[in-house]
Amino acid sequence: MSKQYDVLQADENVNQIAIDFDGVIYKNSKGYHDGTVYDEPIEGALEAIKAFHDKGYTVVVFTGKVKPDRPSPDNRTMVQHVEDWLEKHGVLQYIKEVTCEKPRALVYIDDKGYRFTDWASTMKFMNTEFNF
């Protein structure tokens, strides 16, 4: 690995915030539905994105909605649809990237995340929540 790569990775690990789109920024009340980006922002999401940016953090939006195997309702990519929605709501300029990959970040803000501490607690949670 090059020193330049190490510096980039270290910077992203402390200065980048990764935010899930569906259910965190965007209501997603109908789920995937017809592939369109149809819903409104979740209250406080747009202000939070601006606040992170204003405090010097880089914001990356991640979503399964933009995976290459997901069909688009038209000839444009799903990344373009999400970016259009972000622009419509006045926050695209605060976003570094929209991706389906989990980026390096200081923190991940995700509605489906589970905070791992150890496997015993994780398995207890899985059993309680999902009858695993």
Side-chain angles (χ1 to χ4, degrees):
M1 301 273 171
S2 73
K3 188 162 183 84
Q4 181 180 7
Y5 176 80
D6 291 342
V7 169
L8 173 64
Q9 182 169 338
D11 181 61
E12 289 175 343
N13 285 337
V14 298
N15 291 318
Q16 190 156 274
I17 296 176
I19 307 174
D20 182 25
F21 184 67
D22 302 303
V24 179
I25 297 172
Y26 164 79
K27 285 184 182 176
N28 199 38
S29 63
K30 300 180 204 173
Y32 181 73
H33 186 54
D34 60 1
T36 58
V37 185
Y38 56 84
D39 224 337
E40 294 301 313
I42 290 181
E43 185 177 336
L46 306 177
E47 296 80 5
I49 290 168
K50 291 175 191 173
F52 294 141
H53 178 269
D54 290 349
K55 290 180 186 261
Y57 291 97
T58 300
V59 178
V60 173
V61 172
F62 63 96
T63 175
K65 188 181 291 309
V66 301
K67 286 186 177 246
D69 63 344
R70 291 272 176 104
S72 172
D74 56 25
N75 290 330
R76 299 175 25 223
T77 69
M78 287 307 296
V79 170
Q80 290 170 313
H81 284 276
V82 172
E83 288 176 344
D84 286 350
W85 187 95
L86 292 165
E87 183 173 31
K88 173 185 173 186
H89 293 285
V91 294
L92 182 60
Q93 69 269 23
Y94 305 118
I95 307 295
K96 174 184 174 186
E97 176 184 16
V98 175
T99 181
C100 65
E101 301 294 326
K102 182 178 178 181
R104 289 183 291 268
L106 170 67
V107 66
Y108 301 93
I109 302 172
D110 188 340
D111 60 318
K112 292 186 178 180
Y114 168 78
R115 175 74 169 131
F116 177 82
T117 55
D118 60 73
W119 279 109
S121 298
T122 299
M123 295 309 287
K124 182 178 179 182
F125 168 81
M126 292 298 291
N127 189 46
T128 301
E129 295 296 317
F130 304 109
N131 296 319
F132 185 74

